Amino acid sequence: GHGPCSNRGMTTGTLALTLGIVLLQWQAALPEPLLLAAIGAVGILLFCLRSWRWAAAVGACLVGFAWAGMLAHGRLADALPEDSEGRDTEVVAVVSALPQRFENGWRFDMDVERSELRLPRHVSVAWYRSVLLDPDDLSDPAAVHVGERWRLTLRCKRPHGNANPHGFDYEGWLFEQGVRATCYVRPRAGSQRLERFVSSPATLVQALRENVRSRFQAVLGDRPYAGILVALAVGDQRAIDQGLWLQFARTGLTHLLSVSGLHITLVAGLAYALVNALWRRSARLPLYFPAQQAAAVAGICAALFYSLLAGFAVPAQRTLYMLAVVGLSLIARRTIAVRKVLSAALCAVLAVGPWAVLSAGFWLSFGAVSLLFY
């Protein structure tokens, strides 16, 4: 059939939803929220109709357009006010992502908790190393770690980048990451670490990633392959030496250095095989829960863990959602068509972050898997 719940209908609806989100990204100006709400309402009505063959597809396209627009309004609302640009402000914030070393210091993301001026919730901070700093001073940026709460004096500006045709869209990438201001630490007295670690699900994951990266760097030191192993373990491609990364780019090998579906599927498959083999050795456990279903749960958990450890990029999300659909179908003892698996993963990725369509990884990931399935 051609209903919204059939295999073909689900695939068509998912592609229409994606088209609507892409159309929103192509708009020169963001439509007003009231107009987006009306478009979404019409889309839902059309999606529920069955008298017209393409009603569900048109409705899904309108829903995707409205959904992406409403989320964009929410993110744009968390902007740096013009009167806060270029002014020093004292903030209390938590380091929320892996600090990255660059030539003159460190760069890291922070979640702002309090500030003298109004700042966005999520900002990118650069802390430049000065030769005048005391090596034992806690204000040395080398002492910054994930989860720490700091009191800093920042100067911020709105994100912007070069708009070269077919080049990297730095401003769009920051928007996708939720970074609504770029700041740097001012060389004023008062930089103070207030708390060693602020516990939350996000900081726990990021702290684990930093711990793994630190262990690799401590054991391997300056060996050229250290950054490669870090990239494959925790998805931190910026750990790779710039000269080496340039060689990989010129030879077309950079895609091998990102945590992709192959890596996550391998980890999930190993967990599935191990639990399946051990579960069957028990005389009692299979009586309460079949080995195949227990192995499916283990595979999903392993995929989730590795996806989070690797930074939860779009390829990792796609693989996790696909494996989750397959695993849940095994647990429910139902067969599911391949196109439904891919459609469900695509819907999940776009529901969480519709601006994923701005990244090349989104198209490469779903495009490659679709081609393999075909």
Side-chain angles (χ1 to χ4, degrees), residues 299-336:
I300 295 174
C301 292
L304 174 61
F305 175 78
Y306 190 29
S307 299
L308 294 174
L309 184 66
F312 212 57
V314 171
Q317 293 179 42
R318 187 261 308 160
T319 307
L320 171 63
Y321 298 144
M322 291 181 65
L323 290 174
V325 172
V326 173
L328 292 175
S329 67
L330 287 175
I331 295 173
R333 301 179 182 179
R334 298 187 61 179
T335 58
I336 186 169

Side-chain angles (χ1 to χ4, degrees), residues 136-337:
D136 297 326
D137 188 355
L138 287 179
S139 63
D140 186 343
V144 176
H145 299 286
V146 171
E148 293 179 338
R149 178 180 282 126
W150 282 81
R151 178 184 290 113
L152 301 170
T153 299
L154 302 179
R155 179 171 290 184
C156 302
K157 63 180 180 180
R158 294 184 176 186
H160 66 86
N162 295 328
N164 294 321
H166 309 294
F168 177 66
D169 186 357
Y170 179 65
E171 187 174 344
W173 179 79
L174 288 177
F175 181 83
E176 181 185 350
Q177 300 298 313
V179 175
R180 304 299 296 130
T182 56
C183 316
Y184 64 93
V185 179
R186 295 286 290 162
R188 290 175 51 184
S191 298
Q192 179 184 6
R193 182 194 290 119
L194 302 178
E195 195 169 346
R196 290 281 181 177
F197 188 75
V198 178
S199 180
S200 70
T203 55
L204 288 173
V205 171
Q206 293 295 331
L208 177 60
R209 298 181 69 209
E210 185 180 25
N211 183 264
V212 172
R213 184 181 68 174
S214 299
R215 286 175 176 268
F216 270 109
Q217 293 172 341
V219 172
L220 300 178
D222 295 330
R223 292 177 174 85
Y225 53 82
I228 298 175
L229 295 179
V230 170
L232 293 175
V234 298
D236 182 16
Q237 295 180 348
R238 285 175 287 187
I240 301 175
D241 179 75
Q242 289 298 319
L244 192 59
W245 181 261
L246 184 60
Q247 293 182 31
F248 289 140
R250 288 174 174 173
T251 53
L253 299 176
T254 53
H255 66 284
L256 298 178
L257 304 175
S258 60
V259 178
S260 63
L262 177 64
H263 304 93
I264 296 173
T265 304
L266 176 63
V267 171
L270 290 173
Y272 179 95
L274 179 62
V275 171
N276 191 33
L278 295 177
W279 203 272
R280 292 176 185 273
R281 290 179 176 271
S282 173
R284 293 186 176 182
L285 291 178
L287 299 177
Y288 298 103
F289 203 58
Q292 189 181 35
Q293 297 180 12
V297 173
I300 295 174
C301 292
L304 174 61
F305 175 78
Y306 190 29
S307 299
L308 294 174
L309 184 66
F312 212 57
V314 171
Q317 293 179 42
R318 187 261 308 160
T319 307
L320 171 63
Y321 298 144
M322 291 181 65
L323 290 174
V325 172
V326 173
L328 292 175
S329 67
L330 287 175
I331 295 173
R333 301 179 182 179
R334 298 187 61 179
T335 58
I336 186 169

